Amino acid sequence: MTKIILKTLALSMIGLMATTHAMTVLTDSELSHVDAQALLNLQNSYDAGQGINFSKLSIEALMELNVNIKTLQLGCGGSNNSVKTGCDIDISNIGLSGLNQTFDDETKSPVFTSERAGTSAQVTNPFVEFAIKGNSAATREVVGFRLGAENIIGLLTLGTDNVENPTDGIKSFSGYMKMAATQGESLTQEAKFGITDDQKISGNLKALGQTRKFTSKPGSDGHTGITVPSMRVNFEMPETVVSGSRINSARVSGIRSTIPTIPLAAGGNMTNVIGNPNWANDQLYVEFPALISLFGINLGTHSFFKMDSGSSLDNLNLDITFNQALNMIHNIPLNGTGGYLSLQSQAVKWQGSDEADIAQPGWWMSFKDPIDLGYLKTQDQVDISYVLPQVATAISDFLLKPENLIDVNAIEAIGSLANVAVVRKLNIDVGGFTNYINGSPAQLTLTDKLLQNQKVTPNCFGGYKFC
């Protein structure tokens, strides 16, 4: 047996020597034409506009990562206290895992078919990079460094509970993040229109052969206003950039919503109406110049007006601004975007970052590609009372047009003397007065609304909220 083993080893050595002998020496020129992949990759570049040399060391690898961070506080105090006292970055209860497999049908929150803690985010080509100013050894200065990755796929969660006035999550953010265009919906609160002086409406009526301008008078006896029902309202949010130093809220403007029809009486289109509104006692008290004058007494100076069955307000366009506390945004899906965390002593435009992403002095967090926050649905009903005065202006613009004159017959005119209401079906189209091109869309600002799709799935085993 020993002889067999020795013979086998001898033959193996002969084969190895033969293979080694077959290797060929390459010159530097020949070696330069050989392609291969290295684990570590060093890149140097120069930005003449900034006068900065960039040295980037990256690892050509795919890393899997599942991590929880209780508190991340960077850049507390320092020169940025002139911007706002506190920290450049202050985030608590951070979780990074693999992406969710599906979404909840009702809330649209991320759902994992198994334990989230059993998944891993994929981080492709992590790197460290230095920004160096100056060329001579005596004057060279490191003005910044950053840690990042070329590509990240995973779910980043911030905070533990989707509640009003949370105490964790993003308390302070310095950086750059784009939110992708998306859609959503809100439920409005039922309201009464026309009951305050800033909700007066005007129009033209013709009675007993004479045309007169009428104006509603809130506060008069019998003036109850018009019920605006609670409704489901859809909206579209444009792509928005959130950027700044030590910010704690995001301002999203230019959100558009068009409400095709709002019923103002029974018998209208109830498709998006919530509940069962009661229009039975709705009416407006309106005043106008006297219809007749007898013995120095003016008669027919006012009337009540009721919306008839099928009346509606049509094509109302809204321009919505959304001010949202950042600690109410919990779920940030990373679908392949690049990202980095940097520290710099001056403003630096890092190589390969988004054109508008200029890292400011201090700590800076950035995501290159737009982040899709998903379908945004507010939890609580929205108060639209702020919009009603603007709606009153649009209604008056519509009713004052000659073609929309209200013709009151003689029986109705005489009946108004006895406070009998004039009843008309009105379909008030305010689309031409509130359009986005040459009109004045009604302005509405929403602040810190609870979003149903921001429910957090814990990144823990055993039912813990955070671990």
Side-chain angles (χ1 to χ4, degrees), residues 202-215 286-293 298-303 399-402 404-408 413 416:
S202 298
N204 292 316
L205 61 84
K206 184 177 182 181
L208 303 179
Q210 301 179 51
T211 299
R212 290 170 169 78
K213 179 180 178 180
F214 68 84
T215 301
V286 298
E287 291 185 325
F288 41 80
L291 294 176
I292 56 176
S293 180
N298 292 327
L299 300 176
T301 58
H302 69 273
S303 178
L399 294 176
L400 287 169
K401 293 177 71 70
N404 296 323
L405 178 142
I406 298 175
D407 196 351
V408 179
S416 68

Side-chain angles (χ1 to χ4, degrees), residues 120-320:
S120 295
Q122 295 182 347
V123 181
T124 303
N125 298 348
F127 63 81
V128 58
E129 185 172 14
F130 294 91
I132 302 171
K133 200 168 187 179
N135 293 316
S136 70
T139 61
R140 276 185 303 190
E141 175 189 5
V142 177
V143 296
F145 82 94
R146 66 170 176 162
L147 304 171
E150 299 294 341
N151 184 295
I152 306 171
I153 298 177
L155 178 64
L156 178 67
T157 56
L158 313 162
T160 56
D161 293 304
N162 187 31
V163 296
E164 294 181 351
N165 304 314
T167 57
D168 60 359
I170 303 177
K171 303 171 188 177
S172 179
F173 176 77
S174 298
Y176 177 89
M177 179 172 61
K178 285 191 293 187
M179 294 187 290
T182 188
Q183 298 177 329
E185 68 179 63
S186 291
L187 301 183
T188 63
Q189 290 180 3
E190 182 175 292
K192 277 288 187 179
F193 170 75
I195 59 175
T196 59
D197 286 340
D198 59 0
Q199 296 173 25
K200 292 180 179 179
I201 62 171
S202 298
N204 292 316
L205 61 84
K206 184 177 182 181
L208 303 179
Q210 301 179 51
T211 299
R212 290 170 169 78
K213 179 180 178 180
F214 68 84
T215 301
S216 63
K217 188 179 180 181
S220 302
D221 289 342
H223 181 102
T224 59
I226 304 296
T227 298
V228 180
S230 172
M231 297 191 66
R232 179 177 291 102
V233 177
N234 298 320
F235 60 81
E236 295 183 358
M237 188 186 85
E239 182 177 285
T240 301
V241 173
V242 178
S243 184
S245 294
R246 298 191 178 185
I247 60 176
N248 56 21
S249 64
R251 179 180 175 86
V252 183
S253 58
I255 299 174
R256 293 185 174 185
S257 175
T258 297
I259 307 177
T261 184
I262 301 174
L264 301 178
N269 186 339
M270 303 288 286
T271 301
N272 291 315
V273 172
I274 308 300
N276 298 299
N278 181 11
W279 289 284
N281 298 318
D282 288 1
Q283 62 181 12
L284 300 177
Y285 180 98
V286 298
E287 291 185 325
F288 41 80
L291 294 176
I292 56 176
S293 180
L294 293 175
F295 308 110
I297 301 174
N298 292 327
L299 300 176
T301 58
H302 69 273
S303 178
F304 288 103
F305 178 83
K306 292 180 70 72
M307 295 285 183
D308 201 2
S309 177
S311 293
S312 63
L313 178 73
D314 301 326
N315 300 316
L316 174 64
N317 297 300
L318 297 173
D319 186 357
I320 304 171

